[in-house]
Amino acid sequence: MPAAGTETPLPLGERVPDFDLPGTDGARHRLGDASPANATVVVFTCNHCPYALAWHDRILAVADDYAAQGVRFLAVNPNDASRYPADSFEAMQRRVREKPWPMPYLHDESQGVARAWGAAVTPELYVLDADLQLRYHGAPDADHGDPRLRAAWLRTALDEVLAGRPVSHPATRLLGCSVKWRPER
Amino acid sequence: MSRGLAPRGVGRRPRPGSLSAMAAALRPNPPLDIEVLTWSGCPSTPALLDDLRVALAEIGLDVTAVRMTAVEDDAEAQRRHFVGSPTVLVEGRDAVPPPPYEAAALTCRVYRRRDGSISPTPDPLDLRAALNGALRERG
C-alpha cells in the first residue's frame, strides 16, 4: 500500500498555502507571484497516470482558452521519482520538450506542497480566485474517457470565478492515480 | 492473494433451449483461466470488470470464472512482472501484451485504445480478441 498523504483537503474559501517550486523551464515559480492573475489553476498531475494523460489535452486547451482572461495555470508533479522514474524531473523536461505546455510544469520533489495541499491523486485541480482563495477543487469533468466534455467542470468554475460569482459546484469527485508518496513517510 | 468474484445469478439453471443454455453448452471445459491482477492504489478495476463481464457473456462465460489477484508490494510486482493495474491474463498471457521495456510497478496501467486514446482500461475489442484467441487455441 502506498503511504497516505494528509487526509485533510484544503478548505474552500480560504487562502491556499504558498509554494515556490522549480519548473522544467529552468525557472522557479512562486504561487504568490508579484504579477497578479484574475484566477489561478493549480493542477497536480504526472507523467505516468492514465487518468492524468487522458485529461491532459483538455486541461491544456482550457489554459490556452483562458490565458487572455488573465488565468494562470501551474502544473505540479508530486510523485516520488525514485520509485517511479517516469516522473523524474528529467522525464518531465523531456515531456515538455516533445510537446510544449502553455503552463509551467513544476517539480514537488520533497512532496511538501502535495502534503500541505492534501493532494491525493493525479489529476487533481484547484481553482483559486485573484486573492488565492480556493474556489473549486476536483476533477476536470465527469469522464476521462470522453474528450467532448472539454473539462466542463473546470471551465464552469473559471467562468464563475471570473464573473465574481460563487462557484455553483465547488467540489467534485476526484478520479485518478494515487499520489506516489515516498515509502518512508 | 487470489479470490473469485461475487457470483451473479447463482442457483439459477438455464431453461432448456434458452440462449443461456446454449451458451452454457458452448463453454470450454475446463473453463478458460482468466486472472485479473489489481493494485488497491488504482481505481480502474470496476470499469475493467464491467467491460470483462460483457465480453465474457458474449462467449457464454460467467464473470465468476475470473480470479482476482491483488498485487500490493514491489517484490510481488517484480516477480509477476506486473506493469500496472488492472492487468488481465487469459490462460496466463497478458490480454494486451505490454512492450518488453515496460517496467514492473505498483501503478495504474496505461492502455492505448484502438482509436489512439489513452485509457486506464483496455479497449473492449482487445479483451474480446484475447478471449476469442484463447478459445480458438483450445480448438
Side-chain angles (χ1 to χ4, degrees), chain A residues 1 48 50-51 83-84 176 178, chain B residues 40-41 43-44 74 106-107 109-110:
Chain A
M1 282 285 288
H48 84 270
Y51 297 93
R83 293 174 69 227
Y84 295 87
S178 54
Chain B
S40 59
S44 311
D74 288 326
L106 296 176
T107 187
R109 186 160 168 186
V110 178

Side-chain angles (χ1 to χ4, degrees), chain A residues 4-184:
Chain A
T6 169
E7 301 299 323
T8 312
L10 294 177
L12 289 161
E14 292 195 9
R15 191 181 168 98
V16 297
D18 200 0
F19 60 72
D20 181 359
L21 291 172
T24 56
D25 57 1
R28 293 196 70 87
H29 296 265
R30 189 168 161 241
L31 175 65
D33 201 288
S35 54
N38 293 329
T40 300
V41 180
V42 175
V43 185
F44 286 90
T45 188
C46 71
N47 285 357
H48 84 270
C49 170
Y51 297 93
L53 297 173
W55 264 311
H56 178 70
D57 286 347
R58 273 174 262 177
I59 294 170
L60 263 51
V62 179
D64 277 331
D65 292 348
Y66 283 78
Q69 296 180 65
V71 177
R72 181 168 66 140
F73 276 68
L74 299 167
V76 178
N77 186 336
N79 281 345
D80 172 20
S82 66
R83 293 174 69 227
Y84 295 87
D87 285 317
S88 71
F89 191 57
E90 294 71 26
M92 291 168 58
Q93 288 175 312
R94 270 199 305 278
R95 186 170 173 211
V96 173
R97 249 195 327 267
E98 284 162 10
K99 189 178 177 187
W101 296 15
M103 66 183 83
Y105 192 18
L106 313 180
H107 192 204
D108 181 19
E109 186 179 11
S110 74
Q111 304 186 312
V113 177
R115 279 197 296 275
W117 285 53
V121 302
T122 55
E124 182 166 340
L125 272 54
Y126 295 82
V127 175
L128 318 175
D129 61 20
D131 297 321
L132 301 181
Q133 291 175 336
L134 180 60
R135 296 299 179 194
Y136 174 81
H137 174 216
D141 58 44
D143 186 353
H144 59 87
D146 188 353
R148 293 170 303 176
L149 295 183
R150 300 178 67 243
W153 291 348
L154 171 59
R155 288 175 186 270
T156 300
L158 279 172
D159 289 341
E160 290 172 338
V161 167
L162 292 171
R165 296 197 303 268
V167 174
S168 46
H169 297 286
T172 59
R173 191 176 71 93
L174 293 167
L175 181 66
C177 305
S178 54
V179 169
K180 303 302 184 289
W181 302 105
R182 291 169 194 273
E184 64 268 23

Side-chain angles (χ1 to χ4, degrees), chain B residues 55-110:
Chain B
L56 287 169
E58 284 180 4
I59 58 172
L61 286 178
D62 195 290
V63 78
T64 53
V66 175
R67 281 185 296 133
M68 303 295 291
T69 302
V71 178
E72 297 295 346
D73 62 61
D74 288 326
E76 181 68 359
Q78 294 292 336
R79 191 183 72 74
R80 298 213 55 167
H81 195 69
F82 174 69
V83 297
S85 179
T87 288
V88 181
L89 304 177
V90 180
E91 301 282 74
R93 288 197 298 267
D94 200 313
V96 187
Y101 53 80
E102 191 100 5
L106 296 176
T107 187
C108 290
R109 186 160 168 186
V110 178

Side-chain angles (χ1 to χ4, degrees), chain B:
Chain B
M1 184 180 67
S2 225
R3 62 182 171 82
L5 281 177
R8 288 159 62 91
V10 166
R12 284 189 300 167
R13 285 168 177 270
R15 277 185 296 109
S18 67
L19 278 177
S20 52
M22 286 189 277
L26 292 171
R27 279 177 197 157
N29 189 17
L32 286 178
D33 178 29
I34 302 166
E35 183 179 18
V36 177
L37 307 180
T38 66
W39 172 55
S40 59
C42 181
S44 311
T45 305
L48 167 82
L49 292 179
D50 286 346
D51 290 342
L52 194 55
R53 191 170 281 128
V54 172
L56 287 169
E58 284 180 4
I59 58 172
L61 286 178
D62 195 290
V63 78
T64 53
V66 175
R67 281 185 296 133
M68 303 295 291
T69 302
V71 178
E72 297 295 346
D73 62 61
D74 288 326
E76 181 68 359
Q78 294 292 336
R79 191 183 72 74
R80 298 213 55 167
H81 195 69
F82 174 69
V83 297
S85 179
T87 288
V88 181
L89 304 177
V90 180
E91 301 282 74
R93 288 197 298 267
D94 200 313
V96 187
Y101 53 80
E102 191 100 5
L106 296 176
T107 187
C108 290
R109 186 160 168 186
V110 178
Y111 289 94
R112 181 75 68 170
R113 295 219 165 184
R114 293 190 177 194
D115 65 2
S117 64
I118 288 172
S119 170
T121 53
D123 194 308
L125 292 175
D126 290 334
L127 284 179
R128 286 172 176 77
L131 294 169
N132 287 322
L135 284 177
R136 273 197 303 276
E137 284 183 15
R138 285 276 184 89

